[in-house]
């Protein structure tokens, strides 16, 4: 029977919700926050090494910004209503565009995406061709006014934390940038244990809301096709699945129940650079319009973790497991040794717990139920010699080894970001 991330996520204390906060607004508990923080740190470092510059931008923006970007015209049904400074915006004000009770246009909107803010970050000062490609990245919150009937666990929420980036580049740079994004996606997916089911080119369809002219759309579609073909990626075409401002590459995943969804995306956008009047100075001193490539390596943290919980059945790879090592003293006499091991492991950067409540058998079973990768048992035979008996989540038991060696072994597995709990050449026979 397929794993349901909603049930298992609550059993493992990863996330929860409360009617007083509202539907579609989950909160992350300490265990889930620890796993999420590790993934966020990994992705930020991956991006930093690839030349991305990280920014922070506000979750609010004036309604005029979203009118300029095209969101208000093409995406308003999925946006929360405006809020006025110093008072509420009534329905008439929201419709006539006054913005607030004074009519000064200061109505604020919870952002449905990060791209308008990033466009204005690019525009914050004059840019030169020498700065391109300029890669702006942010793990930022955005909000969608999803109807209650479509909400579900972490897969469909109203508060979304998106791993987002916008690459501002010259037209000839687009192919290389998309190739690099595809490479980074594969690297991140491999580390997280995500298996991609397919790639699709999402284009316009009949009856949809789309902005921009046909020539720009056709050029953007052509550029994405060329990038996919140059990377040797097989893909299908999905009509009607494009964003309102441009076509996109959608990276599809399938959950254990066989349901397909989009995790990662790449979009080529000629519309917003024009609407925000973005430009850079070229080699001859002229003003040139950049192209804006929207890109998310791993999508939203909510949808990502819904998938990771299900495909791993809660048994995350050790590097982002909420607790990586649980230390079990068999009796009270071994408590000092257990505390010392936990202290050393924590100092080495591991996430560690000591469990001394209950029988040793019950504690071992509890650790297995929590999907903890490593359990260190310290009994009367181990404590006097600074040794531990290490048990792995998959049922393997290693001979007693020095505590420092156990910490090093776990640290090595974490550093490799591998699904394997032991190095490939580890025979389960630590040095004596």
């Amino acid at each position: 029977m397929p794993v349901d991330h909603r049930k298992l996520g609550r059993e493992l204390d990863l996330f929860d919700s409360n009617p007083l906060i509202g539907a579609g607004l989950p909160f992350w508990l300490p265990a889930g926050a620890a796993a999420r923080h590790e993934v966020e740190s990994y992705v930020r470092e991956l991006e930093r090494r690839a030349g991305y510059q990280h920014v922070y931008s506000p979750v609010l923006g004036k309604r005029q910004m979203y009118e300029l970007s095209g969101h208000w015209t093409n995406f308003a049904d999925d946006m929360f209503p405006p809020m006025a400074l110093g008072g509420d915006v009534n329905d008439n004000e929201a419709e006539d565009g006054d913005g607030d009770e004074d009519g000064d246009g200061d109505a604020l909107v919870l952002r449905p995406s990060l791209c308008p803010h990033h466009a204005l970050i690019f525009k914050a000062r004059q840019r030169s061709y020498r700065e391109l490609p300029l890669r702006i990245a942010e793990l930022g919150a955005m909000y969608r006014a999803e109807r209650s009937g479509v909400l579900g666990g972490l897969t469909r929420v109203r508060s979304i934390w998106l791993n987002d980036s916008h690459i501002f580049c010259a037209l000839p740079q687009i192919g290389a940038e998309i190739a690099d994004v595809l490479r980074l996606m594969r690297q991140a997916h491999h580390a997280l244990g995500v298996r991609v089911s397919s790639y699709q080119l999402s284009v316009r369809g009949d009856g949809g809301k789309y902005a921009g002219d046909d020539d720009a759309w056709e050029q953007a579609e052509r550029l994405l096709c060329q990038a996919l073909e140059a990377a040797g990626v097989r893909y299908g075409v999905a009509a009607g699945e494009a964003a309102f401002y441009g076509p996109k590459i959608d990276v599809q995943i399938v959950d254990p129940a066989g349901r397909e969804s989009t995790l990662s995306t790449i979009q080529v956008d000629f519309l917003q650079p024009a609407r925000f009047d973005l430009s850079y100075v070229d080699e001859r001193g002229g003003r040139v319009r950049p192209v804006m490539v929207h890109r998310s390596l791993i999508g939203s943290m909510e949808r990502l973790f819904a998938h990771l919980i299900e495909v791993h059945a809660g048994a995350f790879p050790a590097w982002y497991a909420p607790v990586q090592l649980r230390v079990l003293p068999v009796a009270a006499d071994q408590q000092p040794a257990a505390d010392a091991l936990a202290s050393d492991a924590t100092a080495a950067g591991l996430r560690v717990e000591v469990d001394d409540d209950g029988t040793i058998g019950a504690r071992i079973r509890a650790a297995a139920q929590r999907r903890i990768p490593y359990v260190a048992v310290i009994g009367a035979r181990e404590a006097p010699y600074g040794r531990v008996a290490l048990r792995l989540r998959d049922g393997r038991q290693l001979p007693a080894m020095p505590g420092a060696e156990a910490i090093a072994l776990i640290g090595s597995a974490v550093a490799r970001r591998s699904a394997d709990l032991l190095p490939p050449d580890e025979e389960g026979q630590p040095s004596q």
Side-chain angles (χ1 to χ4, degrees), residues 348-360:
L350 301 179
R351 294 184 289 279
V352 191
E353 291 179 349
V354 176
D355 182 4
D356 57 4
D357 186 19
T359 66
I360 189 65

Side-chain angles (χ1 to χ4, degrees), residues 102-125:
D102 297 322
D104 65 359
D106 278 342
L108 296 176
V109 181
L110 283 168
R111 66 179 175 195
S113 66
L114 283 70
C115 45
H117 288 83
H118 288 189
L120 294 177
I121 288 173
F122 179 89
K123 197 174 181 177
R125 63 176 177 80

